[in-house]
């Protein structure tokens, strides 16, 4: 009965739509139909048939003879029933109406059934959605108020039993004022009582352990500070506070190996104070120490943070330059030499001037040991001394 009611209601609605559509196109057809040829009429009818609710169009002339009779369905698939709306076509001329023919728009039971079935499909989808929503609401309420709290309570009780933490308590994420809430409170009261008893037993032991840990921590800190000081003393020259010979060669070897792996070039500068024995003999060893410190500070001020500088002998200093070619190393060495030569040192109202002899070499692809670079740069240094001192040889 509901389907039949919907069918008839939908058929009346489609019929109203046909009438409205006919009223929409009637005026333009009445004004222009007498000007159309057969091809234009067929195109007009084809456009009307493409509309969703129109299954056929019949156009009659003034003698009620069919000018166009078109259907959107085949003769082999005729709908169960058709219904239509018809209107006459008149042309107004000098306040008179000239009858030109009539136009009939057809629709069918198939259009009605498609629309009714679509409506019932929407109703079915809505009903399924509502039933699904009610089902999930029921499942949610069951889980929210019963299943989830019980499962959570059991898991937390088991966790408290297995845990060594006496501060753990039962905390249900969703609690109401019911028996589950009361059960949670009783369990937590019992856990609090057990925790207090445990804390009293552990207080004395904890106090003793804290005292012992503090004593050990202080002793460990003092040992670390002492070890760091010893390490620093072992790696640095006590007078100039730069690297000593052993630490310099160890670090330079590591940097050389890294440079060989990365296929980059490093340079080695070896410098020696000219006639330093005369400085000691003339001004004393105190003044000689001041000269060594002054030389060290001057060298450091002209180098990068990544460069290594060390005192490798009494008055010998070595510089290791990562990622530096021979020309750049020579320029740095000459800058150091010139800066030292241009500087003077005032000690006890005495002016002291000194110079440096410097040798410079750079690494080659087959260099693996820092000792190889040292041997070559040592020869360069002695070459600078043999050629008159206060010069750089590369």
């Amino acid at each position: 009965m509901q389907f039949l009611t919907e069918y008839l209601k939908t058929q009346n609605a489609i019929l109203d739509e046909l009438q409205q559509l006919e009223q929409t196109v009637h005026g333009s057809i009445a004004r222009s139909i007498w000007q159309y040829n057969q091809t234009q009429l067929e195109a007009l009818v084809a456009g009307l048939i493409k509309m969703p609710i129109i299954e056929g169009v019949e156009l009659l002339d003034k003698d009620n003879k069919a000018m166009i009779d078109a259907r959107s369905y085949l003769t082999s698939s005729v709908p169960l029933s058709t219904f239509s709306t018809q209107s006459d076509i008149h042309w107004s001329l000098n306040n008179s109406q000239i009858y030109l023919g009539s136009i009939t728009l057809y629709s069918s039971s198939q259009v009605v059934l498609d629309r009714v079935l679509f409506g019932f499909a929407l109703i079915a989808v809505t009903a399924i959605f509502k039933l699904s929503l009610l089902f999930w609401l029921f499942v949610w309420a069951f889980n929210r108020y019963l299943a989830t709290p019980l499962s959570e309570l059991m898991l937390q009780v088991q966790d408290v039993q297995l845990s060594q933490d006496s501060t753990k308590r039962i905390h249900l994420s969703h609690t109401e004022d019911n028996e589950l809430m009361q059960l949670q409170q009783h369990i937590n009261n019992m856990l609090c009582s057990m925790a207090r008893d445990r804390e009293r037993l552990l207080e004395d032991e904890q106090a003793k352990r804290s005292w012992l840990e503090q004593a050990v921590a202080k002793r460990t800190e003092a040992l670390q500070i002492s070890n760091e000081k010893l390490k620093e003393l072992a790696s640095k020259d006590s007078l100039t506070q730069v690297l000593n010979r052993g630490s310099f060669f160890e670090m330079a070897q590591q940097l050389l190996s890294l440079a060989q792996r990365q296929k980059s070039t490093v340079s080695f500068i070896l410098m020696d104070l000219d006639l330093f024995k005369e400085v000691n003999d003339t001004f004393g060893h105190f003044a000689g120490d001041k000269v060594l410190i002054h030389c060290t500070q001057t060298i450091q001020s002209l180098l990068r943070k990544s460069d290594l500088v060390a005192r490798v002998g009494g008055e010998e200093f070595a510089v290791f330059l990562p990622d530096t070619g021979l020309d750049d190393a020579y320029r740095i060495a000459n800058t150091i030499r010139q800066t030292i030569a241009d500087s003077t040192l005032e000690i006890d109202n005495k002016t002291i001037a000194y110079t440096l002899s410097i040798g410079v070499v750079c690494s080659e692809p087959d260099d693996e040991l820092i000792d190889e670079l040292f041997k070559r740069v040592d020869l360069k240094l002695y070459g600078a001394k043999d050629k008159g001192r206060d010069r750089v040889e590369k």
Side-chain angles (χ1 to χ4, degrees):
M1 290 298 294
Q2 184 177 358
F3 180 83
L4 180 60
T5 302
E6 289 295 328
Y7 181 89
L8 295 176
K9 186 187 298 183
T10 304
Q11 179 175 330
N12 291 333
I14 292 177
L15 187 59
D16 291 339
E17 292 178 19
L18 284 176
Q19 292 174 353
Q20 293 175 3
L21 183 60
E22 182 274 328
Q23 291 175 4
T24 302
V25 302
H26 181 274
S28 60
I29 293 175
R31 287 191 300 271
S32 306
I33 192 172
W34 60 277
Q35 298 176 344
Y36 290 164
N37 55 31
Q38 187 66 24
T39 302
Q40 291 173 325
L41 289 175
E42 291 176 355
L44 173 64
V45 171
L48 290 173
I49 289 179
K50 289 181 180 180
M51 296 183 179
I53 64 173
I54 297 179
E55 293 282 281
V57 178
E58 185 179 48
L59 191 62
L60 303 179
D61 61 11
K62 63 181 180 179
D63 297 325
N64 290 331
K65 293 182 179 180
M67 299 171 64
I68 295 291
D69 188 4
R71 298 290 186 271
S72 63
Y73 49 82
L74 301 175
T75 55
S76 59
S77 59
V78 178
L80 295 176
S81 64
T82 59
F83 51 93
S84 62
T85 177
Q86 181 181 5
S87 62
D88 296 332
I89 302 174
H90 295 88
W91 182 34
S92 299
L93 181 62
N94 297 329
N95 297 325
S96 62
Q97 300 289 327
I98 300 176
Y99 177 72
L100 299 178
S102 64
I103 182 171
T104 304
L105 302 179
Y106 292 92
S107 189
S108 70
S109 58
Q110 187 62 44
V111 176
V112 179
L113 285 173
D114 290 343
R115 187 171 293 187
V116 171
L117 291 176
F118 178 75
F120 269 90
L122 288 180
I123 294 173
V125 170
T126 303
I128 293 173
F129 175 77
K130 290 179 179 179
L131 288 174
S132 300
L133 181 61
L134 289 174
F135 173 77
W136 287 113
L137 282 175
F138 170 77
V139 172
W140 174 84
F142 179 81
N143 288 329
R144 167 67 173 76
Y145 295 104
L146 186 58
T148 300
L150 281 175
S151 177
E152 187 178 2
L153 179 64
M154 293 174 62
L155 288 174
Q156 291 195 32
V157 169
Q158 184 178 7
D159 186 40
V160 170
Q161 289 176 341
L162 299 176
S163 175
Q164 299 296 324
D165 187 0
S166 62
T167 63
K168 278 196 172 183
R169 300 292 181 268
I170 305 298
H171 296 287
L172 299 179
S173 56
H174 300 287
T175 56
E176 305 293 338
D177 190 10
N178 52 25
E179 288 77 4
L180 288 176
M181 183 64 177
Q182 296 176 7
L183 179 59
Q184 172 187 303
Q185 292 176 351
H186 287 302
I187 293 176
N188 287 336
N189 291 336
M190 179 185 65
L191 292 174
C192 288
S193 178
M194 293 172 62
R196 285 193 297 268
D197 294 339
R198 183 183 179 88
E199 289 175 0
R200 282 194 295 268
L201 293 174
L202 295 176
E203 281 180 356
D204 292 340
E205 181 181 353
Q206 186 65 35
K208 294 177 181 179
R209 182 180 300 174
S210 298
W211 177 84
L212 181 60
E213 289 176 353
Q214 291 176 1
V216 171
K218 290 181 180 180
R219 183 61 177 169
T220 302
E221 183 180 0
L223 288 174
Q224 289 177 346
I225 294 174
S226 299
N227 288 334
E228 291 176 359
K229 290 181 178 179
L230 289 174
K231 184 177 180 181
E232 183 176 359
L233 290 173
S235 64
K236 288 187 177 182
D237 177 64
S238 60
L239 176 64
T240 60
Q241 295 302 308
V242 294
L243 295 174
N244 57 28
R245 183 185 183 93
S247 298
F248 173 80
F249 276 89
E250 180 181 352
M251 296 177 66
Q253 180 62 58
Q254 295 175 359
L255 293 176
L256 175 62
S257 300
L258 177 63
Q260 295 296 64
R261 290 196 298 270
Q262 296 177 346
K263 299 187 183 304
S264 62
T265 303
V266 300
S267 292
F268 198 132
I269 300 175
L270 186 63
M271 55 191 78
D272 186 83
L273 275 68
D274 295 327
L275 305 175
F276 183 67
K277 184 176 183 302
E278 295 182 3
V279 173
N280 282 330
D281 294 342
T282 304
F283 301 101
H285 287 85
F286 175 78
D289 290 346
K290 293 294 184 181
V291 169
L292 292 174
I293 294 172
H294 175 265
C295 182
T296 303
Q297 293 174 347
T298 303
I299 294 171
Q300 286 180 311
S301 67
L302 298 174
L303 296 178
R304 304 167 298 186
K305 291 183 177 180
S306 59
D307 300 331
L308 299 181
V309 59
R311 183 185 178 192
V312 295
E315 61 271 13
E316 278 190 344
F317 293 89
V319 174
F320 187 88
L321 304 173
D323 297 321
T324 306
L326 182 61
D327 292 339
D328 289 335
Y330 179 83
R331 178 182 53 79
I332 294 171
N334 198 50
T335 300
I336 294 173
R337 182 200 64 77
Q338 188 64 49
T339 303
I340 292 294
D342 294 340
S343 64
T344 57
L345 194 61
E346 296 290 335
I347 301 176
D348 296 333
N349 298 321
K350 297 177 183 179
T351 301
I352 301 176
Y354 64 98
T355 60
L356 293 175
S357 295
I358 303 176
V360 180
V361 296
C362 69
S363 62
E364 297 177 357
D366 56 348
D367 287 331
E368 296 182 356
L369 299 176
I370 194 65
D371 291 341
E372 298 172 358
L373 289 178
F374 181 74
K375 291 177 183 178
R376 296 205 303 268
V377 76
D378 193 45
L379 293 175
K380 297 293 183 181
L381 172 61
Y382 279 99
K385 285 186 174 294
D386 290 341
K387 293 180 181 180
R389 300 185 179 87
D390 191 20
R391 61 183 292 117
V392 180
E393 283 294 317
K394 64 176 180 177

